[in-house]
Amino acid sequence: MKPNRRQIFTVGAAAAATVAVSTQTASAVPASTSATSTGPYGSGVLGSWANGTRAISTTTQIHRVLETDGVYMFGDSISVQDGKSLATRLLGRDGSQMAVNNWSSRPTSGAVDALQQWAAAYGLPRRILMASGSNDIFDPPKFAAQLDRAMSIAGRNRTVYWVNIQAVRKSVGATMQLADQRNSSWLNMQMYDVQEKYPNLRIIRWAEWLWVKPYRLLNYLRDGVHPTVPLGQDARNELIVQALTAR
């Protein structure tokens, strides 16, 4: 069942209040502009991600995934951190191979560009995992168009699994944290709105899983964005694997 807008904003605001009390220093967060600028949406402005750390599968692995009906994954720094563990968990669960294209600080437009490139160069498997959106808190209005674009590339006969967003950076002040939460909720609402048009879009509710017990925001996220290891990593990866292997 799709959450309504009031539920998303109300629970999200409570989540922001919980995160705001923490003073833990972040060790890795989405790229943003200097602390002197909040940008047009309160979270700052996305910096250059061209030199971000990345994890991209070889052509051999991509072909292996296609031959064995595995999974493509497109993500950001969360996936750079957690992707290897996720691939191992998925392989152990149902034998599925995974090919990844994960790039730190990359917004969803870049992830969808990568999806389009792989579609043209190799073709697409039956299942596509999009773990992107945390870096879109800096410019939320552009997100829905990228969701539509990804679904158009995937087509109606494939299932796209999209992990939703909880990004409230502990490294910034309380006002910017509230903007982060508002923008995360805004992105998630766009995701649910787009799902109305595409029955083959499956949303993995990471944000709701964190919100339902607010202590999880402190214990399962090390910097307000990236999961702790292994606790948060295992929890998020398990939600993803359950979705990918559901029948």
Side-chain angles (χ1 to χ4, degrees), residues 25-151:
T25 300
S27 58
V29 296
S32 66
T33 190
S34 68
T36 60
S37 174
T38 59
Y41 304 103
S43 289
V45 178
L46 182 66
S48 173
W49 51 273
N51 296 320
T53 56
R54 67 204 74 169
I56 300 176
S57 293
T58 64
T59 300
T60 298
Q61 178 64 10
I62 294 168
H63 285 303
R64 185 178 297 120
V65 165
L66 291 170
E67 291 165 1
T68 60
D69 192 29
V71 178
Y72 279 0
M73 177 188 193
F74 300 87
D76 50 29
S77 59
I78 299 174
S79 301
V80 170
Q81 172 188 286
D82 294 352
K84 183 175 180 180
S85 176
L86 174 62
T88 300
R89 183 178 291 257
L90 179 63
L91 183 65
R93 188 67 52 86
D94 76 348
S96 292
Q97 297 270 343
M98 178 175 283
V100 304
N101 190 307
N102 299 324
W103 197 308
S104 294
S105 300
R106 180 175 65 183
T108 298
S109 58
V112 178
D113 286 345
L115 169 65
Q116 188 170 43
Q117 291 162 6
W118 280 23
Y122 310 111
L124 298 174
R126 179 175 55 89
R127 292 171 292 172
I128 299 164
L129 172 63
M130 301 298 293
S132 179
S134 295
N135 296 303
D136 293 85
I137 61 173
F138 306 105
D139 196 1
K142 294 182 178 178
F143 188 58
Q146 298 305 321
L147 291 163
D148 274 319
R149 188 168 153 239
M151 297 309 298

Side-chain angles (χ1 to χ4, degrees), residues 14-23 166 168-170 177 181 217-218 224:
T18 301
V19 173
V21 303
S22 174
T23 58
Q166 176 62 32
V168 181
R169 295 161 294 161
K170 293 179 180 178
Q177 286 186 5
Q181 185 61 69
L217 291 161
L218 302 177

